[in-house]
Each structure stands twice: as structure tokens, then as C-alpha cells.
């Protein structure tokens, strides 16, 4: 049966367009000799759009995105020109409006790469962080009073719901079942008794429903330490929005570098399109130099293919990346000399 899938491509700012171009080449390369076609629509949003229109996305951007089967995002942000909270707002709005509550971020060290951790190899580093992506500290909920005065007050209140916690934990348990059957939940109930008290309770309620999965919780301060000391003890880690944000930058470097770390923003019910993006940002300092690592964007394509129920294509991408990296084709962030495009060439050749 042949399928045609509509993909919105939102390259964004900085190195976003450079890495996305390689991810798109890989996607189109896969479609050759297969019965799947990808209809790509490129959305020229971001800082250049802002220069012309005074905003980074059009007013109806959510309506524009809604009909697509998936969204492939590069990176957004150019802090020299526009404050991050303005350029990044659409990203968070996409996640929340499309109820992309499961942000899946693997931290996996591929053979041929070195982790920042001495003495730890690919057998030790294979973690998936499931970040709650729809609420927590990222709800737009707060305000500032007495601006600019010595009495200024800022309030930003996080929001945690039983429903939100339960669904992300269920998602984590289901994934742990398919992996090494261990789930660690990040908490901080020793200091934040309302929010993380609820997280702890929901975990305790759900755990008996997954007797085949070993579950535990760790306070997030200890958890970051343990990520570094004993990465091999972690399989699936479920975390609230902000904790998940922090843990996945750390996970990225444990897995060989942020240039390698992919991410989903998944709406598991498929009521809305899901979005796929590298964990790294727009990196303005190296933008336009052609040296950004495209692997994170390419691996994000493999996660998109899994979501689109094309697992054999997804696996081909992962295998091609594995072969590329173990063959020594690397950009400068990994100690190599290749350009973004040359690494893209290598992945395509290995497909
Ligand atoms: C990420 C990023 C975003 C986040 C920023 C760009 C808003 O750091 O995807 O991890 O904090 O979620
Ligand atoms: Mn982040």
C-alpha cells in the first residue's frame, strides 16, 4: 500500500536550516525505491520572517501546521536580535496546543564515540528521558508587578495535574516494558511538597499496574549526580517539564554531544501532528559556517518515521547513522573535519 505523508518543515534560525537540509535529504533519499512519498512544505518562519513581518510566525501558524502528518523543526532563536522568550514562544505554543505531552529524548552513546564520562562506553549509556511537555513550569502563568522599581515582584506558577502526571508516567511505563524494564521518576518532593507530592502519589498508584517494571523515584538533584556517576543504572527516566529540560542537555553530552541528541514532541493520541527536532538550539556562533553536526536532526527524522509507523525506514536511518559514526565521519564538535553536508553525504551513502 503506498502512502503519502505531509510533512511541515520549519528550519528556523541559526544552524536550524543547515541541519534540517541534511535531514530532508535523508528523508527524500529513503523515499526513493519505497512506496512512501513525503510531501514537504517548507515554512520560512523565524528571525528572517520577523525582519519582514515584525513577528516570527504568522498569526495563524497553528492553523497552518494542524493539517500536517508531522512537523520537522530545526532550531529557533537569535538572542542578539530578539529576546529568546519571543522567538521561542511559538515552539512552546505548538507543544501545548497540539498536546504534544510526551517529549522523548534518548541519550545513547553510539559506538565509535566518546562520552564526556571517563571509563563509560556504549554499553553504559542508553537512557531515554521522557519529559512531560505540556504543563509544569512551562505554562504561561504569571506576571510582574511594580516593574523596574526596587519593589518589583515576579510570579511564575507551575501547574501539575493528576491527569498530566498520570499520562506521562503511563507512557514511560509502556516504554520501559519494551526496553530494560526500569523506570526512574524525577521528583523533588522533599522541597516542593504540593507539586512533587502529587507526582510521588501518582507513581505509587500506578506502579502496581506494571509489576514487570521496576520503578523508583529520585530527587532531581541526586538524579543529575547519578546520571554522571552511574548512567548504566538508568533505562527510562520520567521527568516534569523543567527537570526534563535540564536532564536532557546532560543526557545529550553523556551520549556523545548535543549535536547527536534527537527529540520528539509526541501527541500519542494522534489528534494533532507531532513535532520532531534536535535537542540542540540555533547555535548562532557557528551558524553559516557549514560545520554544525546534522546527526541530531537526522536522528529526529528516524523518530518521526517511527511515529509515522514506518519502523523499517526508521531503523535504516539509525543503522546508517551508526555506520557513519563508527566509520569516523564526523563534524568538528566530535573532533572530526567534515562539513555538515559531508556528514549528510556519508549518511546517505550508508542508507
Ligand atoms: C528544548 C529547549 C526549549 C525548552 C527552549 C528553546 C524553549 O531548551 O527544547 O529543550 O526549554 O524546552
Ligand atoms: Mn532544552
Amino acid at each position: 500500500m503506498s502512502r503519502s505523508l505531509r510533512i511541515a518543515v520549519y528550519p528556523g534560525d541559526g544552524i536550524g536550516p543547515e541541519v534540517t537540509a541534511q535531514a530532508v535529504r535523508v528523508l527524500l533519499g529513503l523515499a526513493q525505491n519505497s512506496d512512501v512519498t513525503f510531501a514537504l512544505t517548507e515554512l520560512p518562519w523565524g528571525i528572517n520572517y520577523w525582519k519582514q513581518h515584525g513577528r516570527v510566525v504568522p498569526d495563524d501558524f497553528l492553523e497552518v501546521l494542524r493539517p500536517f502528518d508531522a512537523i520537522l523543526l530545526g532550531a529557533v532563536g537569535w538572542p542578539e536580535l530578539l529576546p529568546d522568550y519571543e522567538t521561542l514562544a511559538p515552539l512552546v505554543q505548538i507543544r501545548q496546543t497540539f498536546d504534544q505531552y510526551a517529549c522523548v529524548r534518548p541519550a545513547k552513546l553510539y559506538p565509535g564515540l566518546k562520552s564526556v564520562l571517563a571509563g563509560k562506553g556504549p554499553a553504559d549509556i542508553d537512557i531515554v528521558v521522557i519529559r512531560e511537555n505540556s504543563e509544569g513550569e512551562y505554562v504561561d502563568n504569571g506576571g510582574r508587578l511594580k516593574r523596574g522599581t526596587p519593589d518589583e515582584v515576579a510570579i511564575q506558577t507551575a501547574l501539575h495535574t493528576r491527569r498530566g502526571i498520570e499520562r506521562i508516567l503511563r507512557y514511560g511505563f509502556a516504554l520501559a516494558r519494551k526496553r530494560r524494564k526500569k523506570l526512574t521518576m524525577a521528583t523533588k518532593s522533599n522541597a516542593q511538597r504540593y507539586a512533587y507530592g502529587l507526582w510521588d502519589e501518582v507513581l505509587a498508584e500506578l506502579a502496581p499496574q506494571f509489576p514487570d517494571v521496576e520503578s523508583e523515584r529520585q530527587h532531581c538533584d541526586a538524579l543529575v549526580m547519578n546520571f554522571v556517576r552511574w548512567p548504566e543504572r538508568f533505562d527510562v527516566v520520567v521527568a516534569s517539564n523543567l527537570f526534563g529540560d535540564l536532564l536532557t542537555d546532560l543526557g545529550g553530552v553523556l551520549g556523545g554531544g548535543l549535536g547527536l541528541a534527537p527529540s520528539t514532541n509526541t501527541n500519542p493520541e494522534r489528534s494533532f501532528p507531532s513535532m520532531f527536532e534536535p535537542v540542540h538550539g540555533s547555535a548562532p556562533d557557528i551558524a553559516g559556517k557549514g560545520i554544525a553536526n546534522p546527526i541530531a536532526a537526522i536522528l529526529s527524522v528516524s523518530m518521526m518515521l517511527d511515529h509515522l509507523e514506518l519502523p523499517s525506514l526508521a531503523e535504516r536511518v539509525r543503522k546508517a547513522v551508526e555506520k557513519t559514526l563508527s566509520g569516523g565521519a564526523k563534524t568538528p564538535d566530535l573532533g572530526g573535519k567534515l562539513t555538515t553536508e559531508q556528514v549528510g553525504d556519508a549518511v546517505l551513502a550508508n542508507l
Side-chain angles (χ1 to χ4, degrees):
M1 192 188 67
S2 86
R3 281 174 76 194
S4 175
L5 295 159
R6 290 156 306 167
I7 312 294
V9 182
Y10 177 179
D13 308 315
I15 60 170
E18 298 166 48
V19 298
T20 305
Q22 302 311 313
V24 164
R25 282 177 77 200
V26 170
L27 188 63
L28 296 179
L30 278 173
Q32 284 173 9
N33 312 318
S34 92
D35 52 3
V36 192
T37 52
F38 297 102
L40 306 182
T41 302
E42 187 162 325
L43 302 164
W45 299 343
I47 206 73
N48 286 327
Y49 190 92
W50 169 79
K51 284 181 190 158
Q52 288 171 25
H53 302 94
R55 55 183 109 91
V56 288
V57 292
D59 281 340
D60 62 347
F61 74 107
L62 293 167
E63 290 321 306
V64 172
L65 291 172
R66 197 181 295 264
F68 285 93
D69 292 302
I71 304 162
L72 188 62
L73 176 84
V76 288
W78 197 274
E80 237 174 60
L81 291 178
L82 205 60
D84 273 342
Y85 61 82
E86 278 192 49
T87 21
L88 308 184
L91 171 63
V92 177
Q93 276 174 276
I94 293 168
R95 291 175 178 167
Q96 293 179 358
T97 309
F98 294 157
D99 208 18
Q100 296 167 343
Y101 62 85
C103 175
V104 182
R105 296 187 161 179
K108 177 178 160 66
L109 184 65
Y110 278 88
L113 296 181
K114 267 176 84 174
S115 174
V116 284
L117 299 182
K120 302 285 181 186
D124 304 305
I125 301 171
D126 183 7
I127 306 170
V128 180
V129 178
I130 310 289
R131 167 184 181 189
E132 201 297 317
N133 214 28
S134 67
E135 50 183 50
E137 304 79 0
Y138 278 64
V139 291
D140 189 15
N141 181 26
R144 286 169 69 170
L145 289 175
K146 302 186 185 174
R147 276 191 187 246
T149 73
D151 297 326
E152 184 159 0
V153 179
I155 299 174
Q156 184 137 21
T157 308
L159 185 140
H160 302 261
T161 67
R162 177 177 284 276
R163 199 187 301 281
I165 298 167
E166 183 173 332
R167 67 184 183 174
I168 199 65
L169 279 170
R170 284 190 184 280
Y171 193 92
F173 272 114
L175 181 67
R177 267 195 172 150
K178 293 192 214 145
R179 289 175 45 94
R180 301 195 306 277
K181 299 189 169 43
K182 178 159 183 199
L183 179 146
T184 305
M185 188 190 86
T187 184
K188 191 62 196 165
S189 50
N190 56 355
Q192 299 239 303
R193 61 189 177 127
Y194 308 117
Y196 291 100
L198 182 57
W199 277 81
D200 288 2
E201 275 172 40
V202 176
L203 177 67
E205 284 166 27
L206 285 183
Q209 298 177 31
F210 300 88
D212 50 325
V213 176
E214 177 194 344
S215 59
E216 59 163 5
R217 57 187 165 86
Q218 294 189 17
H219 293 305
C220 201
D221 49 352
L223 180 49
V224 289
M225 177 177 69
N226 292 335
F227 250 41
V228 172
R229 291 201 286 190
W230 301 313
E232 66 281 2
R233 295 192 189 174
F234 295 95
D235 176 18
V236 172
V237 176
V238 179
S240 63
N241 212 335
L242 188 58
F243 287 167
D245 183 39
L246 307 182
L247 283 168
T248 53
D249 266 29
L250 176 56
V253 290
L254 300 187
L258 268 192
L260 301 163
S263 173
T264 80
N265 300 273
T266 305
N267 171 246
E269 288 72 30
R270 298 168 191 275
S271 318
F272 302 98
S274 294
M275 178 166 66
F276 303 83
E277 54 166 332
V279 175
H280 65 68
S282 56
D285 53 320
I286 58 161
K289 296 191 175 157
I291 55 166
N293 191 342
I295 297 292
I298 291 170
L299 286 173
S300 299
V301 164
S302 82
M303 298 188 85
M304 179 174 86
L305 294 166
D306 270 327
H307 180 76
L308 296 170
E309 297 174 310
L310 297 165
S312 61
L313 295 187
E315 186 61 14
R316 270 176 68 196
V317 176
R318 277 190 294 270
K319 285 272 178 287
V321 164
E322 202 171 318
K323 212 167 154 195
T324 301
L325 293 172
S326 61
K330 293 171 189 167
T331 40
D333 55 304
L334 300 177
K337 289 204 170 72
L338 299 190
T339 64
T340 309
E341 194 175 350
Q342 286 168 329
V343 171
D345 293 342
V347 175
L348 269 170
N350 287 326
L351 266 183

